[in-house]
Amino acid sequence: MPATNAPHDQIAVALDVPTLDEAARLAADLEGVVGWFKIGLELFAAHGPEAVARIRPHGRVFLDVKLHDIPTTVERAAARLADLDIDLVTIHALGGPDMIRAAISGLSDARKVLAVTLLTSMDAAALDAVGLDTNADRVPLLAKMATGAGAGGVVCSAGQSWRVREAVGQRPMIVTPGIRPADHADDDHAGVWTPQAAIDAGSNLLVIGRPVTRSADPIAAATAIVSSIGG
Ligand code: C5P
């Protein structure tokens, strides 16, 4: 669940910056402006639990490590992550129901487990290369399987949100990257949605990185995003 339904609790800033000092400075500046910070593989690979310890005082932590392994390994890794003060951890839905249940067991809290449906970087050619079809139902089906196995939420693009919401019902969290303020360039996203359009489609936590982190004024950029969804 987002901490509350308040607009600032529906925004996670992705701290995709090269150093932990830079990430911690951004988090300190944005404390109270946004409710969440996403720590990705780059920061976690370099700094591990210290990254969580430095960021957590400034907001809730969403650890985007996309676990995908045999259930026992995932359970044991998740149990170590449970020792940290983390609110959400990503896993790959493609790991299947047993792996999802193992992650829940390791974290001892189903609400912390977010299942990534399909990576937004997988286009038709990439899906074909790994033997997956481009059936439009694939993402909602994966979301339904993941929440059926107990995951508290799923990650999908805004374009899939309404179909995923239809598939999983009102309770699970839908977390969505690929968000751009209306006046912002698209970076490398194939299909971008404004914050309000993504919320209207059924998403309830929006992941936004570069429009904030690369802005000359990250506080103003984040404030404008929160205002655009009613904050
Ligand atoms: O593009 P932006 O900097 O807002 O990305 C924020 C987060 O969204 C990244 O950390 C990445 O996890 C995710 N992302 C994605 N698909 C992309 C680009 C980014 O899922 N094409």
Side-chain angles (χ1 to χ4, degrees):
M1 290 297 109
T4 68
N5 283 327
H8 76 281
D9 276 332
Q10 296 185 304
I11 303 293
V13 169
L15 298 173
D16 300 326
V17 292
T19 69
L20 182 53
D21 281 345
E22 210 175 318
R25 212 166 26 242
L26 265 168
D29 286 347
L30 295 171
E31 180 176 342
V33 179
V34 299
W36 293 83
F37 296 105
K38 182 167 89 76
I39 296 177
L41 275 176
E42 184 183 359
L43 268 189
F44 200 68
H47 301 283
E50 191 200 347
V52 178
R54 296 267 308 270
I55 302 303
R56 180 66 184 95
H58 306 297
R60 288 174 178 246
V61 168
F62 165 177
L63 187 68
D64 191 14
V65 286
K66 297 189 183 71
L67 302 179
H68 190 174
D69 209 315
I70 60 170
T72 306
T73 302
V74 166
E75 181 169 7
R76 291 168 71 93
R80 295 285 66 80
L81 295 178
D83 295 337
L84 310 178
D85 197 359
I86 289 169
D87 288 280
L88 289 172
V89 177
T90 50
I91 62 173
H92 274 289
L94 287 169
D98 285 348
M99 192 203 80
I100 293 168
R101 284 189 280 267
I104 293 168
S105 163
L107 280 161
S108 304
D109 188 346
R111 292 170 306 177
K112 292 186 175 177
V113 175
L114 264 188
V116 175
T117 52
L118 287 180
L119 294 172
T120 55
S121 53
M122 297 289 281
D123 59 12
L127 289 172
D128 187 55
V130 297
L132 286 175
D133 56 47
T134 51
N135 182 342
D137 289 337
R138 179 71 53 208
V139 168
L141 282 171
L142 280 167
K144 192 169 177 157
M145 176 278 294
T147 56
V154 297
V155 181
C156 69
S157 64
Q160 292 279 357
S161 271
W162 71 270
R163 300 197 63 217
V164 167
R165 181 58 74 202
E166 208 171 53
V168 303
Q170 286 310 305
R171 200 177 164 80
M173 215 170 152
I174 298 182
V175 178
T176 296
I179 305 295
R180 288 293 176 269
D183 57 354
H184 198 279
D186 289 357
D187 295 320
D188 54 5
H189 288 283
V192 296
W193 289 56
T194 64
Q196 188 60 52
I199 299 272
D200 290 344
S203 302
N204 42 17
L205 182 63
L206 312 181
V207 178
I208 304 181
R210 289 165 290 181
V212 173
T213 59
R214 296 205 183 158
S215 164
D217 186 347
I219 300 175
T223 303
I225 288 165
V226 173
S227 299
S228 78
I229 56 167

